[in-house]
């Protein structure tokens, strides 16, 4: 969405903190194992591979997981009729919002113009058109002058949820657009909002309205009794409210706007949170007003039911095919747990069997974003993590292994009815900016040819990897811009905005002074080619994605895609370096033939006896090979062994359940769970190694035992089951002590080696990261072995892989500092040591403004920089007096978000929470473990 005075960059990585589940959510989730329905296998599954009742196929839906989206802002696409430019509000831009010379006002595009250009859009291979919100908006908001106000051209300031904004056309014109799209085989998706409306409600006490926490001023019933709204969220009951007494501020609606909102129930000020403006962190991220926009009381059943009714109406009356949901992370969990299933059920009752909803959760941590598809029962979220990983790879030529790390977290999304293959992937958008902008900024001085190649490489990665690709309108014409928000919303028709007219477009000499609908543009042709190829080879759209190879540095990243039905391997190799690269890439088969179907490389290749395929990829490009033959049918089901179910290190509300399969061919592993004595319920199917799911057990009481089993389905329909293993809900009870016992003990100052009770080898527990740590400032170079010994003895010890009484772990150490890390949820102990120190380390977070930065979440702020201490190899920032409060932070490397670390030292990990009583605090970053702590 768009904000009146700023972009959402300040909130970009603030998603780490989640409030506890309300009573209704806990009831729903606690019942999940007892009543959840087992997902049916995909309709397209080969009947020869029909699974046994205990095995299944990884979820795919040909209609949902094969979308090619075109994301368009109607006001900025094509002006089909000048008659509606002012929305019937007259010529004054401060009333009508229309001023085609200003980037923050209506520029003239409309639905008729969009319909006139449908063939241009379809020509890209588009089968799904996604519109920014098109409901009637408050035309202008702001300070009352042209320079300090802006218009609702973007659609996020809704007053009437039942009517198309008059600047864009009429409800009849929308129906005409949808019918025209459907006749071309294209679906139409609406961008919708449930979090807020336009800024109408005012507070009698103040105009600035700083946020007032619930702990300071709780909600009160109409009779004055304090209550917690969470006790009612997810139910159909709620205390009666009174605008005069129930809220920390006294809300009222000015007489001129008393009935401006439609449906009429939206004019009731007691159906809003009324707590003041959000700071995008902690509680106020859900309860606060977005710069004055009226924040709906989404815990209230009247709001839940009202929003369901509104959007069901658009499905019923207009045949909408799906919704993109704005600001999903700023709405309570219980709302989505009701809204999603109800709307989806209604859509299917209307004959929309492929109805699809995906939400905006502006966060890069999969542990956070995946909760909306698992715990909150929604179908998908926009993949913000992919955007960062794709930019890093294609634009910044970063380490190819970064993509390996990124895709390794995909299993967080796997559950009984969703997985990562449904997620829409994108390279830029209307809030953060365009991929063309990022490429130009990252490669200053590069030739236009190189910029176009990098842009093409980013699109190749997006089209060939898992997920549904999204093209942001204008990217196919090489649009760039000065940044995000208003600077990334250029018209496709001739513009009069001075800030747009000096943009340097990629791949063309054209400017924004003329219309840009050039189907011969190299990026338009490239996207069309990619869409056509993936349509002809659907395994490239939703086949299982198996990691194959990643260069250590810039170079080749390779993965395979294999359809469960076709059983034919496709190998994709992308090269982000500026020189030709060659790599021996593993495949499923030895001595197998492969034919090139995309790219500039050898036409035919044969895998070696060790099953590797030697692939050569030109600079900044991609190649795709298709196996000549199908995979040979398995003769018997492979063995499957279930690992120890453990509390997930990055999210203690989930249990990590993994399985090892005794086969390197294509297999699918179904994971099932039950409480002892209950029925087995499928909790997810994984079709690429390593096989694992992260089971959400947040609705079960801590200490509850859960039994698990895994069933493997091979490519010939054979099945085999694992032994049953049990896991326990909740963070494990930590031991009294953990010791790094090994051949290095004497170097640490112990009296002898292999001393499980040596104090100098004792680790310290970090409750923030839930890890045990021992930092050794100087360990002599040498080869060592070690294990984790618990409670000062050998009675309980863990070796390689977290195995009890397992083999010693080898450490070939070059000398210098080393950090030992033990995770009691997995029993894994490891040693980490840093290579070359980064040029800079900072602590971006919601505390940056308190440090003197210009804003929060600023990785390049001078006051947030840590200093390197060569004495012990740790980076530090001492803050003399940090005000009391709840903060979130991460570690950012080299003054940007390209490399950042969060909870548990995870790359792009969850935000770290700091509840600070006030006073001094020191931030410490260990470059070996990537852990950043505050204390």
């Amino acid at each position: 969405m768009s904000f009146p005075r700023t972009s959402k960059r300040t909130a970009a990585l603030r998603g780490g903190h989640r409030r506890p589940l309300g009573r209704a959510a806990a009831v729903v989730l606690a019942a999940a194992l007892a009543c959840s329905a087992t997902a049916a296998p995909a309709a397209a599954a080969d009947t020869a591979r029909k699974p046994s009742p205990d095995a299944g196929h990884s979820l795919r839906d040909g209609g949902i997981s094969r979308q090619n989206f075109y994301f368009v802002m109607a006001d900025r696409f094509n002006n089909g009729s000048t008659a509606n430019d002012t929305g019937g509000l007259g010529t004054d831009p401060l009333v009508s919002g229309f001023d085609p010379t200003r980037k923050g006002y209506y520029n003239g595009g409309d639905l008729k113009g969009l319909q006139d250009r449908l063939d241009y859009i379809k020509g890209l291979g588009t089968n799904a058109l996604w519109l920014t919100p098109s409901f009637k908006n408050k035309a202008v908001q702001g300070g009352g002058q042209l320079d300090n106000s802006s218009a609702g051209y973007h659609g996020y300031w809704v007053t009437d949820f039942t009517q198309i904004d008059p600047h864009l056309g009429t409800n009849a014109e929308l129906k005409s657009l949808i019918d025209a799209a459907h006749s071309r085989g294209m679906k139409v998706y609406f961008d919708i909002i449930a979090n807020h409306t336009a800024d109408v409600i005012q507070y009698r006490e103040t105009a600035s309205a700083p946020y007032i926490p619930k702990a300071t001023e709780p909600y009160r019933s109409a009779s004055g009794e304090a209550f917690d709204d969470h006790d009612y969220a997810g139910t159909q009951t709620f205390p009666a409210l009174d605008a005069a007494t129930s809220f920390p501020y006294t809300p009222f609606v000015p007489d001129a706007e008393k009935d401006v909102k439609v449906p009429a129930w939206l004019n009731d000020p007691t159906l809003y949170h009324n707590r003041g403006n959000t700071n995008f962190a902690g509680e106020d991220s859900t309860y606060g007003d977005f710069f004055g926009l009226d924040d709906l009381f989404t815990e209230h059943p009247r709001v839940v039911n009202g929003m369901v009714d509104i959007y069901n109406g658009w499905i019923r009356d207009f045949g909408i095919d799906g919704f993109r949901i704005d600001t999903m992370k700023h709405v309570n969990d219980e709302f989505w747990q009701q809204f999603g299933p109800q709307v989806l059920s209604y859509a299917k009752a209307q004959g929309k069997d492929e109805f699809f909803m995906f939400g905006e959760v502006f966060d890069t941590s999969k542990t956070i974003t995946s909760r909306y598809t698992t715990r909150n029962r929604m179908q998908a979220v926009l993949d913000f993590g992919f955007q960062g990983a794709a930019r890093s790879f294609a634009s910044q030529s970063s380490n190819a292994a970064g993509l390996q790390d990124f895709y390794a977290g995909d299993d967080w999304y796997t559950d009984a009815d969703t997985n990562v293959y449904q997620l829409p992937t994108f390279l830029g958008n209307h809030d953060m900016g365009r991929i063309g902008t990022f490429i130009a900024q990252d490669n200053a001085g590069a030739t236009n040819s190189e910029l176009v190649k990098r842009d093409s490489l980013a699109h190749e990665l997006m089209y060939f990897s898992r997920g549904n690709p999204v093209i942001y309108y204008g990217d196919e014409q090489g649009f760039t811009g000065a940044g995000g928000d208003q600077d990334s919303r250029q018209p496709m028709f001739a513009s009069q905005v001075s800030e747009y007219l000096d943009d340097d477009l990629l791949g063309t000499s054209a400017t924004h002074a003329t219309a840009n609908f050039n189907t011969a543009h190299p990026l338009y042709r490239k996207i069309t080619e990619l869409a056509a190829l993936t349509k002809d080879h659907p395994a490239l759209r939703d086949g299982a994605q198996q990691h194959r190879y990643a260069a250590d540095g810039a170079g080749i990243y390779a993965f395979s895609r294999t359809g469960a039905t076709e059983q034919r391997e496709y190998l994709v190799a992308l090269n982000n370096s500026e020189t030709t690269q060659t790599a021996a890439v593993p495949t499923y088969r030895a001595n197998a033939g492969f034919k090139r179907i995309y790219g500039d490389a050898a036409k035919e290749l044969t895998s070696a006896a060790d099953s590797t395929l030697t692939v050569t990829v030109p600079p900044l490009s991609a190649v795709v090979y298709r196996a000549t033959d199908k995979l040979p049918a398995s003769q018997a089901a492979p063995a499957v062994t279930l690992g120890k179910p453990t509390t997930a290190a990055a999210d203690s509300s989930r249990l990590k359940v993994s399985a090892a399969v005794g086969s390197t061919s294509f297999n699918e592993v179904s994971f099932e769970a039950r409480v002892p004595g209950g029925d087995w319920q499928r909790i997810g199917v994984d079709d690429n190694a390593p096989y694992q799911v992260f089971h959400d057990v947040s609705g079960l009481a801590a200490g509850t035992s859960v039994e698990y089993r895994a069933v493997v389905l091979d490519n010939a329909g054979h099945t085999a089951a694992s032994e049953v293993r049990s896991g326990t809900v909740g963070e494990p009870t930590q031991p009294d002590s953990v010791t790094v016992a090994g051949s290095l003990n004497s170097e640490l100052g112990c009296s002898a080696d292999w001393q499980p009770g040596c104090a100098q080898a004792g680790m310290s527990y970090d409750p923030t990261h839930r890890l045990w740590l021992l930092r050794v400032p100087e360990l002599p170079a040498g080869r060592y072995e070690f294990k984790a010994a618990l409670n000062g003895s050998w009675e309980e010890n863990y070796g390689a892989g977290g195995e009890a009484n397992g083999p010693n772990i080898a450490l070939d150490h070059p000398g210098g500092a080393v950090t030992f890390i033990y995770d009691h949820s997995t029993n894994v102990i490891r040693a980490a040591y840093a290579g070359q120190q980064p040029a800079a380390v900072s602590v971006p977070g919601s505390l940056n403004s308190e440090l003197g930065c210009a804003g929060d979440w600023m990785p390049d702020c001078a006051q947030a920089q840590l200093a390197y201490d060569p004495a012990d190899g740790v980076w530090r920032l001492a803050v003399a007096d940090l005000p009391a409060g709840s903060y979130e932070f991460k570690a950012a490397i080299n003054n940007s978000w390209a490399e950042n670390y969060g909870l548990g030292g995870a790359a792009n990990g969850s935000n770290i929470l700091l509840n600070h009583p006030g006073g001094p605090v020191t931030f410490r970053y260990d470059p070996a473990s990537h852990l950043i702590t505050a204390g």
Side-chain angles (χ1 to χ4, degrees), residues 322-368:
F323 294 140
R324 177 269 193 185
I325 304 170
D326 182 65
T327 52
M328 180 179 275
K329 70 179 289 186
H330 301 290
V331 175
N332 58 296
D333 294 340
E334 299 87 353
F335 179 92
W336 302 121
Q337 290 161 7
Q338 298 172 90
F339 180 90
Q342 289 184 42
V343 171
L344 184 60
S345 176
Y346 183 84
K348 291 187 175 182
Q350 298 296 309
K352 293 287 183 180
D353 291 336
E354 295 180 349
F355 194 84
F356 181 47
M357 291 179 283
F358 55 97
E360 177 203 36
V361 182
F362 207 154
D363 200 294
T364 61
S365 170
K366 294 180 182 180
T367 60
I368 300 297

Side-chain angles (χ1 to χ4, degrees), residues 577-660:
S577 79
E578 297 181 27
T579 60
T580 298
Q581 298 288 311
T582 299
V585 180
T587 67
Y588 280 128
R589 297 179 61 198
N591 305 314
F594 285 81
K595 290 186 177 181
R596 187 198 71 211
I597 62 170
Y598 180 84
D600 180 14
K603 292 183 178 180
E604 296 185 358
L605 296 173
T606 302
S607 60
D610 64 356
S611 300
T612 60
L613 191 72
T614 300
V615 179
T616 298
V617 188
L620 301 177
S621 67
V623 298
V624 181
Y625 286 91
R626 178 177 185 258
T628 305
D629 300 313
K630 293 185 177 182
L631 293 173
S634 174
Q635 297 303 303
V640 56
T641 305
L642 196 66
K644 174 187 176 183
T646 59
T647 300
D651 184 350
S652 59
S653 68
R654 303 205 211 181
L655 287 174
K656 178 182 177 180
V657 190
S658 59

Side-chain angles (χ1 to χ4, degrees), residues 29 96 104 112 216 258 330 385 388 464 501 567-568 686 744 772 774 826 931:
L29 291 167
S96 72
K112 184 180 184 304
T216 302
K258 276 192 178 297
H330 301 290
F464 293 146
L501 294 178
Q567 287 292 300
R568 194 185 305 268
D686 193 7
L744 48 80
W772 290 79
L774 172 63
T826 61
L931 293 172

